[in-house]
Amino acid sequence: MNEATNQYNPSASQPMDPTVLNLTDSAAQKVRRLREEEGDSDLMLRVYVTGGGCSGFSYGFNFANELNDDDANFDNDDVTLVIDSLSYQYLQGSTVDYTEGLEGARFVVQNPNATTTCGCGSSFSI
């Protein structure tokens, strides 16, 4: 991990760092497809935490065009995952993935900090 820029390259031969967020290849590929649809190759995936949901906190996703001063960013090749400083404290060490299954197609967070999660995985508590 490059401390100066908060960037992490999961494909580099580095040990797993519990303070980083990881973006899977599946999630990165989905972001690439969505960027193509939007016609904007600079879009970054933002993950954030809000209060609410059946377990106390909920995950949210949207696209970002630029980094805010308090953002950390993590790269999977040419795709950037962005997270604000407030959400970062709840998501350290998490992995953002993209799945398609019976519950539909969606980005999901595998959060090692969560003590409980709801059945669909969109909310959690610590």
Side-chain angles (χ1 to χ4, degrees):
M1 185 161 127
N2 182 332
E3 295 295 332
T5 62
N6 291 325
Q7 292 184 347
Y8 176 72
N9 181 348
S11 53
S13 59
Q14 301 169 343
M16 178 67 172
D17 185 336
T19 63
V20 302
L21 270 72
N22 298 295
L23 184 66
T24 66
D25 291 341
S26 175
Q29 186 58 37
K30 182 60 178 179
V31 171
R32 285 183 195 98
R33 288 192 301 266
L34 292 170
R35 290 190 313 197
E36 278 183 29
E37 290 175 16
E38 294 293 319
D40 187 347
S41 62
D42 294 328
L43 289 176
M44 300 172 281
L45 180 65
R46 178 178 294 280
V47 61
Y48 58 91
V49 172
T50 59
C54 55
S55 293
F57 295 103
S58 294
Y59 301 112
F61 297 92
N62 61 27
F63 280 119
N65 287 89
E66 55 190 47
L67 293 171
N68 297 326
D69 290 339
D70 70 335
D71 285 340
N73 58 294
F74 305 93
D75 295 329
N76 178 326
D77 196 22
D78 65 330
V79 175
T80 301
L81 177 67
V82 179
I83 183 167
D84 64 272
S85 61
L86 181 63
S87 298
Y88 180 78
Q89 65 184 324
Y90 298 109
L91 296 174
Q92 288 183 14
S94 294
T95 297
V96 176
D97 195 8
Y98 179 77
T99 62
E100 295 179 2
L102 295 175
E103 295 176 348
R106 62 195 174 122
F107 289 100
V108 294
V109 177
Q110 299 161 358
N111 187 343
N113 307 302
T115 56
T116 59
T117 59
C118 67
C120 68
S122 63
S123 68
F124 68 101
S125 65
I126 293 182

